[in-house]
Each structure stands twice: as C-alpha cells, then as structure tokens.
Amino acid sequence: MSSFFRKAILAAGLSFAATTASAQENVMVVFDGSNSMWGQIEGVAKIEIARDVMDTLLGDWTENREVGLMAYGHRRRGDCGDIETLVQPGAATRDSILEQVKGITPTGKTPLTDAVERAATELAYTDRPATVVLISDGLESCERDPCELARALEQGGVGFTAHVVGFGLGADQDDTSLSCIAEETGGTYIQASNAEELKSAMSSVSTAVAESTPEPEPEPALPDVTVTGPGTAVGGSIIEVTWEPTAAQGDFLTVVPAGTASGDYGPTQGVNEDMTVAFTLPADQGMYEIRYIHDDSDTVLGTDALEITKPEVVLTGPDMVLIGEDFTIGWSPTINPGDVVTIVPVGADTGNYEGYVTVRDRSEGSLNAPADPGMYELRYILKVDNRTVATRPIEVTEPEVTLSVPDTALAGSKFTVGWTGTVNRQDYITVVPAGTAEGEFGNYFVVRDKTENDLQAAAETGLYEVRYVLREGNKTLASAPIEITAPEVTVTAPETATTGSKFPVSWTGAVNGNDYVTIVPAGTAEGEFGNYIVVRDKTEHTLQAPAETGMYEVRYVLREGNKTLATTPIEITPPTVTVTAPETATTGSKFPVSWTGTVNGNDYVTIVPTGTAEGEFGNYIVVRDRTENQLQAPADTGMYEVRYVLREGGKTLASTPIEVTTPEVTVDAPDTAQTGERFLVSWTGTVDAGDYINIVPAGTEEGEFGNYVTVRDDTEKELQAPAETGMYEVRYVLREGGRTLASDMMEIVAPEVSVTAPEMALAGSAIRVSWTGTVAAGDYIAIVPAGAEDGEFGNYFTVRDDTEKDLRAPSSPGLYEIRYILREGSKTLATRPIEITEPEVTVSGPSEVRATDTLKVSWTGAVDPGDYVALAPMGSGDDDFSNYFTIRQNTEKDMTAPETPGMYELRYILREGGRVLARQPIEVLDADAALNSGAELTAPDTASAGSTIEVGWSVDATSADQRITIAAADQAIFTWIEAVKITGEPPVSLTLPDEPGSYELRFLDVSNQAVLARKVITVE
C-alpha cells in the first residue's frame, strides 16, 4: 500500500474523529410545561416570560453542539408520564427549539426527575459527555427523589452535567431538591424571581455550557514495540510473527526488503488480541525487515531482521503413465500449504497448468494424466508468485483397451458390455450412432472398478457403436459395432370399457421393465400419454379408463425415447349409475344415501346446492365397495342435489334432488349460576352427536364460543360457567357450519367465598388454610406477594372436596396474600393477608473434628420436617449439599466428617427455596490429628503389638473419675479395650492390643461425660 493512500485513509479517520468529538458534547434543554407556568409575575404569565428569554440561553455554543428540546406536563392533566422530546438532539436546531417553545401549553404535573433521567438516556450519558439544562417553576410532584437520581447520573455517566434554573418559586418552597441536581453533577443552580433575573440566569447558564468543552488531552507518547520473527525462513513459506505491546488497534505489520523507505509496504497483517500474525513470505531470497507500523502516524515502532533463503523442493513420481491414468506423486519439503504440483507439456509457459493438486500439509498426492500422449513434466509451483521451484520429467503413453459387445440388441433393451484395460474408474462406456463425432455420447455408464455392465440400447433402430471413452479429454480408446433392431411387441385390451372403470390389459415381448402401457384418445401424437401403468416384470394389469367417452388407443410405449411399439383400439362408453336419497333432511343431520352401478371404489357421493357447477363438491363420502352410506346435510336450508361423482375427471354420473330443512331444537338452562360453577343444561331435538352446547355473553356473534360440551347421545349435561359475571346465552350449536339452532338466556352471578388463615407464619412452614363456598373442585388456594396481579401464583394446592388444607409458606419473609382462585379464568374470589416472618433457627456441632470421624449435630427452631442439615466446604454455594440429612422430627443427629481436611460449615437449610437459615463453622483436621479440649496426651506414635507403653498427660481441671483408655479408631467414645483410672501423677502404663492396626488413646472425664484429649497410635 503506497504512502499516499495510507495518509488519505489517516486524514479520513481524523475527520471522523473530529466529528465524533463534537457529537460527544450533546445538550438537552428540559422545559417545564406544567400547569403552574400559567402563574403570573408582575402581570405576565411565567410561560410568556420563559419563551421571551429562551434565545438568551441558546447562544453561539449551539453552532458546534447537538442540541435537543424536551418538555413535560404540556399535554395531559395528572399524568406523570407526560414527557415528550420535541426536538431530537442535532446540529443547527436553535430555530426549531425556539419555534417549539412557542407552542408549549402548560397543562399537567411536574415529573422533572423522570424528565431529567430520560434526557440523560437519550444523550447516551453512559457512553459520552452529556449536559442537561432544566428550567422549572416548581418542585417534583411525581414522588421521585431528584437528588438520588442526580447522584446516580454522576456516578454512572461519562462527564454528565446538569444546570438548573428555578423560576418564580414560592417563598415557602424549599428549593433544595432542585439545587442538589446541579450540585451533585457539578452544574450551576440559579433561582430567578422575575423576567430580568430569568434572562440573567439564562445568560449565566449559556456561558457555563459554552465553557464546558473539555480541553483536548495531549497525545500519548508512542511506545517502542518489540517485534519477533524466526530470523531465517524459506522464500514463499508461512512464518509467525509476535510483538509486544500493541500501540493501537488499527496498527499493522509488514515485511519489506531491508532498507525500504518508510511508507512503502510489502504484505501486511493487522494487529489482533493474540499478538500473533502469519505472513506468506516473498519468494526472492535476501535480507528483509519485519516492521510494526503505527496506523495513525505511519511511524515504524519496531523492527526485526529476517533472512529469506532460496526455496528448494524434490519431486518424485513415475517415469511413465497411461493417458487419463491417476498416478501418485511426492514432494519434500512442503514450502506453503497453498503451493501446487501440476503436470504440463515439456516447455510449457510458466504459470500455465490445468490438472494440479494443492500440497496442503501432505507430502504426496495424486494427479490425472492428460488425454494426449507425449513428454510432460511435473512442476512444484509456489503460491506466492506462481514460481516453479522443482521439476521432474514424465512420459504419457497410449493404453490398450478392448470392448466385447453383442452383434445386435433390441431397441430400448439392456445388453451386456465387457471391457479390459481400464485406465481410470471415471471413464465411461456409451452407445452412439455409427460415425458420431468424437466427444458426443448417448446412453452410458461409468466403468468404476467393474469389467462388465448393462447398457441401454437406443430407441431407434440402425447401426451403432459402443465406445470406451477416457474421462480425461473425452477421448475414445476403443469401439465395437452393434445393430439395434426393432422388437416384436403386442398389446391386448377389451373392445369397450365404461368411463372411469378399471379394465384388463396384457402384452407380450416386453423390452424393458420401465416401459409403460397408456390409454390416449385415438390419433394422439407420439410421446403424449394419459392414464398409464409401468410393465415391470408382468404381462398383464388393469388400466383406468378416462372420464370422457369416445374412441381411444391402448399403447405399449418404450421408456427409451417414448416410442410406441404396439397399439390396440378401445371405445370408452358411459356407465349406468343411479343414486337415491330422501326428499328432505334437517340441517346438519346425517341421512341415508344408496347407489347402483359403482364404477370405481374411489368415486364419491356428495351434496351441493342445486345448480352447482361441475367439479365442485360439499360434504361427501367415498363409495368404496358399498352401495349405501350416511351423508351429512349442510348447515343452511334450501334445495340441494345428491350427486354420484366419478373420481376420474370429477364427472357427475347421477344425481337426485333433496330439500334441507330447519330442525326443531330446544335448550334449557337455569336462570342463574355462580361464576366458575358447573350447572345442568338439557336439550331436545339433537341433530348430530357432534353438535355442542355453548355459553357465551349475550349478543355474541354467530360462530364464536366459550365453554362448551358435545351433545353426543345425551339430552342433558353439566356446563362450566365463565369467570365473569353478567348476562349470557346458552346455545345449541350445529357442528356442521357452527350455526345456532336454539338458545336460552341466563345470568352468571358472583359466588360468596371466604378464606381463613393465621395472621403470621414462619418462612417455609406449613400454614393451615380453610375456606367456605367452594365453587369447583378444580379451584385452588395460592399464596402470593401482597398486591400481585391476578393470574400470578406461588405455592398452591387444589381445593377438591376439602374445606381446609396445609399450604407451604414462601422462603422469603414479607407481606403476602392467601387467595381463593377460580380455576375458570384464574379469577381471585377471596383473599386473606398474612405476614411471613423469619424463623429463629440455630445449628450446633463441634468446632473441630477429625476427617471421617462421627460428629453430633443439633439444632433448634426447626421449621419443617423436610428441612435438612448439610456439611459443606466454607465458601461453597448454598446449593452444595453433597453431605446432608433430612431433620424429620429430630433435634440432633450424627453425621460423618469429610475425608478432606479444611474449613467447613454446618448449615440448616430450608426445604422451601433451599435457603440457609443458620450456619456454624467447623474445622476438619487430619485423620490422625490430636484432639485436645482441656487436656493433652503424651505417648509414642508407634509401638509393637502386645507391648507396654508409658502415657503422660497434662489437664486443666480434675474430677472424681478421669481415665486414660485405648480403643479401636472407630470404637464408641466411652467404650475401650483397656482403661487406667488416674489416681496419681503421670505417667501410667498401658498394654497395647496383640492385633496390629490403628488405635486411639483417649483422656476421658467419665464424671462429666467429656472427651478431653485424643491421640492416634499405630500398633505394628
């Protein structure tokens, strides 16, 4: 890349950077449009005064800032959300802002905190410096703390500043909440009482905003960069280069000849987070430099010398190959995975090649020999500049290929071809007319690894050639003549058949299993076909007659070339079909139909309005092998036709008229029912078992439905009332067409339900809840945070046929509600407040324990028998309970200490929510550590089995019965193998067991049932 172009890009980048810097100085003016702006000062409305002095605020600084306008309280009364951006921050917006201010009509409240927050957000205050200018005549009226917001904006923003002008505040108004916005963000607060003071305040704020442009930071000094390359490398190879540090993200590295002028570049790579790049080197040998270039200044910050050596490669391969043959070649070494090895005629121009293999990470590959014999050479060519760095001669010779084919074959048939001397498994064998030009082909197959295969003869008779063709260059290596002769085929069919029926056909002399027999109108052009069957390995089959009468031909057609080999005439005649149905049927009902003269089992009987166009159909049944069935009447009354329709062509063969009339249906429901309850509905005059009874609000449009039941063969059923009260209709609706046949009005009223629970309960405990006025067994009782929206639920149970039950309290303390919720619509019918309080739970155990020892754990204030106690590593997650037990009805229990020493924690964990209610630290010591608690034992660590040892001790306190014992390591504390009661001064003698193993010496205070010291001893 030239120095000129790089500097052009650098200039463009600096221009963009300047634009970005100015964009960072955005300002939003927040204007008070609340109703109080109609207040007057010296007979003039505050809104008018503010409009007149706005131009004072918008000084020259607006020319190089993006400035916007936001107003609040200017559209709706009593709406704390009435905040609107009237002018989006942008360049040259001064006139637009002044124009918009003229149109502000004071109307509503003063949500100034929300407005300042929204302005900061629109200015992207977390990403770049932002300034808000607030003009307000009143204090916050929407229950937010502006001081708290100001602190948050200051902490979270990038150079956020707010200037505040308080205008016309009352003498009794504390303006602290306005002034703190400016104080917390480093802005200016000015209070103005009249027009002159407001103009002065606007001028002061304008000056403050104009002076807020930050001074540009000095450009940091560019670092020295250490560049590391391999020192030497082969021309055209790939090398890795590293550097330290990265000066800037746009920087890059390049490889150039030593002494190249600054600003000139060879291959380049941009810097990255890994601080490693790969270069493909030039092929020319010599001394080079790897340079690190600073993108913005085009300065070289670091270099490393690199010597590029001459690439040398050795090629291996056969001395001679057959034309088109695949052969193996080798090379060593690989210079670049993108290099190629190719075969070209001797003396071919550099860079010219066709067949080639890319070396990648291999040392050998395969090439396909050219189609023309002669002298060639293998070449190893560098990817970097197509330079040949190694060659090897190779001769390409003619192969000897033979073909074996029959003298004749029937047109379209398959005949066997044999061959010898396969050159390439992708070569192919084809059959073409004698004398066909080289490169053209007819039917063919690929030779692959076979020596014979079947080839399909052409459809036309005559003299042909079977050719073995080399895939490489499509050169014919061998050929053999063959004569294609006409086959003798016959086809037989009946003289007549009825439209749409299936009739038998037979044939002789089948040529190919894929040939087909078809029926077409007499005289149809060759190659066209109607209904057909494939002959496969059969000699007879059935063929479907067309829907139209007339003279036809049955043809045997050769799949190869679609040539007709035999024909026979057939006449298609109309069938005699009748259809019978009753004169009338009620809408939606099923009525009997019968028919005679079935043509095809797939024909169908349908009912359509009288005069319906041919091919259209309504409800229908397929005739199959029957002569009668049930057909469903439409939902609309009127004159209809029942038609017998031929599946082939959709042609009507017979029809009979029928009138569809209105059925007499009634439905009866109670006058009232409670929301969500099940009530009894009865009906008469069922039309169809699939019809349904539906309840919907009075006046609901036809076709809509709410809760419903299907009538089936019943005359009464229970229907579920909706969750909302009001006037409803119970409707009998025809399944066919969704038409209402009868309805009855009823009123859904609110049920009287109550729910009772204690005022307080512990977190996670079981709460006894009772209720009255159950509406439906599927309703449920739930506990949710106070004020939760309808439809939300936490822990719950279904009421079924009970009147009281236990409900699980949530794990977090707070104010909650217990609700009786209607299953239908999830509507709350009754509530009861309850406070969930924090349980007072303790968990206790020893402060120290040896690894794998048994420790006794106790607890108080148990909440639920399903809670559990866990022993987990200190600092592990509260969900770590690999070592735990369930407390059930106990207050203490033994558990085994972990095998790994360290600091652990006993935890009492609430089953509900898995919350830890109590903790106690415990240290797990090594398995052989001494445990001292008021005494200390002195004895050898090891001794012989059966020997006598002396044991010394020191103890803090005495008691009536103190003993030194020896016990097995896992033996209960107050049991032993041998014990000595202490009556004098130390030491005492103890005889060790005869069985080798690990034992424990214990200092026991039997009187107080305490273990004062423990020491492990190994008996050998």
Side-chain angles (χ1 to χ4, degrees):
M1 185 185 295
S2 73
S3 176
F4 172 79
F5 285 116
R6 293 204 51 80
K7 289 176 179 176
I9 293 170
L10 176 63
L14 291 173
S15 173
F16 172 76
T19 304
T20 303
S22 67
Q24 291 177 341
E25 305 300 326
N26 295 354
V27 178
M28 182 74 82
V29 178
V30 179
F31 194 92
D32 187 347
S34 65
N35 188 59
S36 59
M37 286 290 279
W38 286 120
Q40 295 190 354
I41 296 177
E42 298 175 356
V44 180
K46 287 187 277 186
I47 182 65
E48 296 297 338
I49 297 172
R51 287 171 180 160
D52 289 345
V53 298
M54 273 297 290
D55 61 340
T56 305
L57 172 65
L58 302 175
D60 293 343
W61 58 268
T62 59
E63 294 176 3
N64 56 10
R65 305 285 186 91
E66 292 190 3
V67 188
L69 173 67
M70 180 179 289
Y72 58 78
H74 60 298
R75 295 176 296 180
R76 297 181 294 276
R77 292 183 179 276
D79 184 359
C80 287
D82 184 12
I83 302 169
E84 181 184 15
T85 302
L86 299 176
V87 178
Q88 289 291 340
T93 57
R94 183 178 189 276
D95 292 343
S96 297
I97 293 173
L98 293 175
E99 189 63 29
Q100 287 290 336
V101 167
K102 293 177 183 177
I104 293 175
T105 302
T107 303
K109 297 177 75 73
T110 308
L112 66 86
T113 307
D114 282 351
V116 170
E117 183 175 40
R118 187 181 300 184
T121 301
E122 290 193 14
L123 293 174
Y125 78 103
T126 59
D127 299 324
R128 57 192 180 190
T131 298
V132 171
V133 177
L134 171 64
I135 303 163
S136 179
D137 80 328
L139 307 181
E140 171 66 49
S141 65
C142 288
E143 300 183 359
R144 281 201 67 184
D145 183 352
C147 300
E148 182 181 344
L149 171 67
R151 285 189 288 273
L153 295 177
E154 172 66 18
Q155 292 171 5
V158 177
F160 178 80
T161 306
H163 302 291
V164 184
V165 176
F167 177 41
L169 296 173
D172 58 343
Q173 287 184 292
D174 182 0
D175 65 352
T176 304
S177 62
L178 282 180
S179 62
C180 73
I181 297 175
E183 292 165 1
E184 294 288 351
T185 62
T188 300
Y189 173 68
I190 304 175
Q191 186 175 153
S193 301
N194 53 45
E196 192 61 33
E197 290 180 3
L198 181 60
K199 184 173 183 179
S200 173
M202 292 292 204
S203 177
S204 297
V205 170
S206 178
T207 300
V209 173
E211 293 174 350
S212 66
T213 303
E215 289 294 326
E217 295 184 8
E219 290 292 332
L222 295 176
D224 291 330
V225 177
T226 301
V227 179
T228 305
T232 63
V234 176
S237 65
I238 298 174
I239 64 167
E240 279 196 353
V241 177
T242 62
W243 65 93
E244 175 70 31
T246 296
Q249 285 305 311
D251 296 349
F252 60 95
L253 293 98
T254 186
V255 177
V256 295
T260 297
S262 179
D264 289 342
Y265 312 103
T268 62
Q269 293 286 351
V271 300
N272 55 43
E273 292 180 357
D274 298 332
M275 293 200 291
T276 301
V277 294
F279 276 101
T280 297
L281 295 179
D284 292 328
Q285 60 187 8
M287 295 305 298
Y288 288 76
E289 278 186 334
I290 306 169
R291 294 178 177 176
Y292 183 105
I293 312 293
H294 183 245
D295 184 53
D296 285 347
S297 64
D298 221 18
T299 303
V300 177
L301 301 184
T303 66
D304 190 31
L306 173 68
E307 181 181 1
I308 296 180
T309 61
K310 181 180 179 180
E312 296 180 348
V313 176
V314 175
L315 280 171
T316 60
D319 296 326
M320 184 182 297
V321 293
L322 297 175
I323 62 173
E325 179 184 3
D326 286 336
F327 61 95
T328 300
I329 53 170
W331 57 88
S332 179
T334 294
I335 304 296
N336 186 309
D339 299 341
V340 298
V341 177
T342 185
I343 181 169
V344 295
V346 171
D349 291 341
T350 299
N352 287 346
Y353 55 90
E354 293 181 5
Y356 68 92
V357 60
T358 304
V359 301
R360 306 193 189 283
D361 54 359
R362 300 169 296 182
S363 60
E364 65 176 33
S366 64
L367 280 174
N368 186 248
D372 296 320
M375 293 305 297
Y376 288 80
E377 62 182 8
L378 300 173
R379 292 180 178 176
Y380 186 105
I381 300 176
L382 293 181
K383 177 184 179 181
V384 68
D385 61 0
N386 284 331
R387 177 180 305 192
T388 299
V389 296
T391 65
R392 176 182 174 83
I394 186 170
E395 183 178 2
V396 178
T397 62
E398 290 275 4
E400 293 182 2
V401 177
T402 67
L403 278 171
S404 174
V405 299
D407 293 333
T408 64
L410 294 175
S413 67
K414 288 189 175 181
F415 60 93
T416 301
V417 181
W419 63 94
T420 64
T422 297
V423 177
N424 189 298
R425 64 193 309 274
Q426 297 300 321
D427 298 341
Y428 56 92
I429 292 175
T430 185
V431 59
V432 294
T436 296
E438 186 85 336
E440 296 188 9
F441 59 93
N443 294 335
Y444 74 95
F445 60 77
V446 179
V447 301
R448 305 200 186 281
D449 52 3
K450 300 177 184 177
T451 57
E452 67 175 22
N453 205 350
D454 287 339
L455 185 60
Q456 177 123 28
E460 301 299 327
T461 61
L463 293 175
Y464 285 78
E465 289 179 66
V466 176
R467 295 176 176 175
Y468 182 108
V469 183
L470 193 66
R471 172 71 67 178
E472 175 66 24
N474 292 320
K475 182 178 181 181
T476 300
L477 299 183
S479 68
I482 186 171
E483 183 179 3
I484 306 299
T485 61
E488 294 181 1
V489 177
T490 67
V491 64
T492 306
E495 293 180 356
T496 65
T498 57
T499 57
S501 66
K502 289 191 173 181
F503 60 90
V505 290
S506 61
W507 55 91
T508 65
V511 177
N512 188 299
N514 289 322
D515 297 343
Y516 55 92
V517 175
T518 185
I519 183 169
V520 293
T524 295
E526 187 82 335
E528 296 187 9
F529 59 93
N531 296 335
Y532 72 94
I533 53 170
V534 180
V535 302
R536 306 201 185 281
D537 55 359
K538 301 177 183 176
T539 58
E540 61 182 13
H541 210 289
T542 57
L543 187 61
Q544 177 129 27
E548 300 299 326
T549 61
M551 295 305 298
Y552 286 79
E553 291 178 64
V554 175
R555 296 177 174 175
Y556 182 105
V557 182
L558 194 64
R559 172 71 67 178
E560 175 65 25
N562 292 321
K563 183 178 181 182
T564 300
L565 298 183
T567 69
T568 186
I570 185 171
E571 182 179 4
I572 303 303
T573 61
T576 302
V577 177
T578 67
V579 64
T580 306
E583 294 180 355
T584 63
T586 56
T587 57
S589 66
K590 289 186 176 177
F591 60 91
V593 290
S594 61
W595 56 90
T596 64
T598 297
V599 176
N600 188 300
N602 288 322
D603 298 342
Y604 54 93
V605 175
T606 185
I607 182 169
V608 294
T610 301
T612 295
E614 188 82 336
E616 296 187 10
F617 59 93
N619 295 335
Y620 71 93
I621 51 172
V622 179
V623 302
R624 305 198 186 284
D625 55 358
R626 293 172 291 195
T627 58
E628 61 182 14
N629 206 342
Q630 297 278 317
L631 187 61
Q632 180 137 33
D636 295 320
T637 60
M639 294 306 298
Y640 287 80
E641 291 178 65
V642 174
R643 295 176 176 175
Y644 182 106
V645 183
L646 194 64
R647 172 71 66 178
E648 175 66 24
K651 184 177 180 181
T652 300
L653 299 182
S655 69
T656 186
I658 184 171
E659 182 179 3
V660 177
T661 60
T662 303
E664 293 183 2
V665 178
T666 67
V667 64
D668 185 49
D671 293 335
T672 63
Q674 292 181 350
T675 57
E677 80 167 318
R678 302 184 72 84
F679 60 91
L680 192 64
V681 183
S682 61
W683 58 90
T684 64
T686 296
V687 176
D688 187 277
D691 298 342
Y692 52 91
I693 307 295
N694 179 29
I695 182 168
V696 294
T700 296
E701 291 185 4
E702 189 82 339
E704 296 188 9
F705 58 94
N707 296 334
Y708 72 93
V709 291
T710 305
V711 302
R712 306 196 185 284
D713 54 0
D714 301 311
T715 57
E716 63 178 18
K717 247 178 185 179
E718 285 190 343
L719 185 62
Q720 178 129 32
E724 301 298 328
T725 59
M727 296 305 298
Y728 285 79
E729 290 179 66
V730 176
R731 295 176 175 175
Y732 183 108
V733 182
L734 197 63
R735 170 70 65 180
E736 175 65 25
R739 183 180 169 198
T740 300
L741 298 183
S743 68
D744 191 20
M745 294 291 294
M746 73 179 298
E747 184 178 2
I748 303 301
V749 297
E752 294 183 2
V753 177
S754 69
V755 63
T756 306
E759 293 179 354
M760 289 185 182
L762 293 175
S765 66
I767 309 166
R768 177 55 60 161
V769 182
S770 61
W771 60 93
T772 63
T774 296
V775 177
D779 298 344
Y780 51 92
I781 306 290
I783 184 167
V784 296
E789 292 185 3
D790 251 4
E792 294 187 13
F793 58 94
N795 296 337
Y796 74 96
F797 59 76
T798 306
V799 302
R800 306 194 186 285
D801 54 1
D802 301 316
T803 57
E804 64 177 13
K805 210 170 188 179
D806 284 342
L807 180 63
R808 180 68 54 197
S811 62
S812 299
L815 294 175
Y816 288 80
E817 293 178 54
I818 295 177
R819 295 177 175 177
Y820 182 108
I821 302 175
L822 196 64
R823 172 70 64 180
E824 173 64 25
S826 297
K827 184 177 180 182
T828 300
L829 298 183
T831 66
R832 169 81 177 180
I834 185 171
E835 183 179 359
I836 303 302
T837 59
E838 184 75 4
E840 294 183 0
V841 177
T842 67
V843 64
S844 302
S847 60
E848 293 179 340
V849 64
R850 282 200 293 248
T852 72
D853 270 5
T854 298
L855 65 148
K856 187 176 292 294
V857 181
S858 62
W859 56 91
T860 65
V863 178
D864 188 271
D867 298 344
Y868 47 90
V869 171
L871 180 60
M874 185 75 76
S876 65
D878 286 351
D879 58 350
D880 181 352
F881 51 93
S882 51
N883 187 6
Y884 79 100
F885 59 80
T886 305
I887 67 167
R888 306 194 186 284
Q889 304 297 330
N890 305 311
T891 57
E892 64 178 20
K893 195 169 183 178
D894 289 343
M895 68 189 309
T896 302
E899 294 181 357
T900 305
M903 291 305 298
Y904 288 78
E905 197 173 51
L906 279 173
R907 299 169 179 172
Y908 182 104
I909 303 175
L910 195 63
R911 169 73 65 180
E912 174 66 23
R915 192 157 69 88
V916 177
L917 298 183
R919 307 172 191 264
Q920 186 204 306
I922 182 169
E923 184 176 4
V924 176
L925 306 174
D926 290 334
D928 58 355
L931 291 177
N932 300 323
S933 180
E936 186 173 352
L937 289 169
T938 305
D941 295 329
T942 61
S944 300
S947 65
T948 299
I949 62 170
E950 288 192 342
V951 181
W953 70 89
S954 62
V955 64
D956 295 341
T958 59
S959 68
D961 189 355
Q962 292 181 335
R963 305 184 191 190
I964 293 176
T965 69
I966 186 166
D970 57 353
Q971 197 169 341
I973 293 297
F974 287 96
T975 65
W976 49 76
I977 297 170
E978 183 178 350
V980 176
K981 187 173 182 179
I982 296 173
T983 56
E985 295 298 318
V988 296
S989 296
L990 271 176
T991 300
L992 297 180
D994 294 329
E995 191 70 29
S998 182
Y999 293 85
E1000 192 174 62
L1001 295 169
R1002 300 170 179 169
F1003 191 112
L1004 303 181
D1005 185 345
V1006 178
S1007 301
N1008 297 309
Q1009 290 289 290
V1011 182
L1012 302 185
R1014 298 162 73 178
K1015 176 176 173 57
V1016 174
I1017 184 169
T1018 301
V1019 176
E1020 299 176 336

